């Protein structure tokens, strides 16, 4: 059993880490707000939200506000659980690496 | 300025994060011990130590113990500084994402 076994590969990327951190403390966050908070491009954000959606760590909800399309993201119970485990593993690794 | 700007891309990968965490608290660690602690293959570990060496975050020292080659790694002052900054940014992101 290696020291990094509980570190989730899906959260290795800082953009995915950012998305998860934000969704942990907000009921939902829309695409533009995420983009702004993380300071990333549309394409970049879309690709990372897709990866997290495929893992069922986050869910997307598409709606219209007036005539404007609005895409909101929220974290799933599975995502919350996986992220907590990841953070615990990170803390363990950093505090007691050996 | 995005929330993840201070998260160092070089430490995104969990193997590199593992190497740095271990070298933060040990004066030096040899290749086989790192391999064992992280439970990774030779090739995988060698590629990630190389990336960290190229960034001058770690240094390598090759020697012989009797007739056996021994490769030791240690962290540089630059690496220590960069890793501390990364950990601070991680903590900030996780605790106060917005």
């Amino acid at each position: 059993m290696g020291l990094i076994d509980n570190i989730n590969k899906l959260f290795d990327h800082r953009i995915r880490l950012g998305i998860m951190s934000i969704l942990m403390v907000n009921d939902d966050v829309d695409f533009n707000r995420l983009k702004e908070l993380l300071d990333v491009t549309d394409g970049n954000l879309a690709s990372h939200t897709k990866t997290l959606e495929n893992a069922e760590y986050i869910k997307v909800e598409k709606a219209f506000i007036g005539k404007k399309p609005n895409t909101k993201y929220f974290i799933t119970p599975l995502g919350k659980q996986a992220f907590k485990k990841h953070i615990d593993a990170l803390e363990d690794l950093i505090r007691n690496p050996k």
Side-chain angles (χ1 to χ4, degrees), chain A:
Chain A
M1 165 98 186
L3 281 177
I4 52 176
D5 291 358
N6 283 324
I7 295 187
N8 192 326
K9 279 186 197 178
L10 270 177
F11 303 139
D12 259 355
H13 198 289
R14 62 188 196 145
I15 296 181
R16 294 200 285 274
L17 199 71
I19 296 167
M20 293 300 288
S21 301
I22 294 165
L23 292 180
M24 280 295 276
V25 296
N26 291 280
D27 288 340
D28 58 65
V29 178
D30 70 27
F31 189 85
N32 289 329
R33 178 77 180 131
L34 272 182
K35 214 181 84 171
E36 184 186 294
L37 284 169
L38 298 171
D39 195 17
V40 290
T41 62
D42 278 52
N44 215 344
L45 180 57
S47 119
H48 291 294
T49 51
K50 196 72 209 160
T51 304
L52 295 170
E53 267 181 77
N54 289 343
E56 296 184 6
Y57 287 166
I58 68 174
K59 283 218 169 200
V60 62
E61 205 177 270
K62 295 185 187 205
F64 280 83
I65 297 182
K67 284 182 179 167
K68 272 182 114 181
N70 181 265
T71 302
K72 283 195 307 193
Y73 294 94
F74 49 95
I75 201 165
T76 64
L78 182 69
K80 216 169 245 190
Q81 193 183 31
F83 195 66
K84 274 187 191 149
K85 191 175 160 195
H86 177 75
I87 298 306
D88 286 349
L90 270 184
E91 284 183 348
D92 255 21
L93 173 65
I94 292 160
R95 294 205 181 122
N96 313 299
K98 79 145 224 102

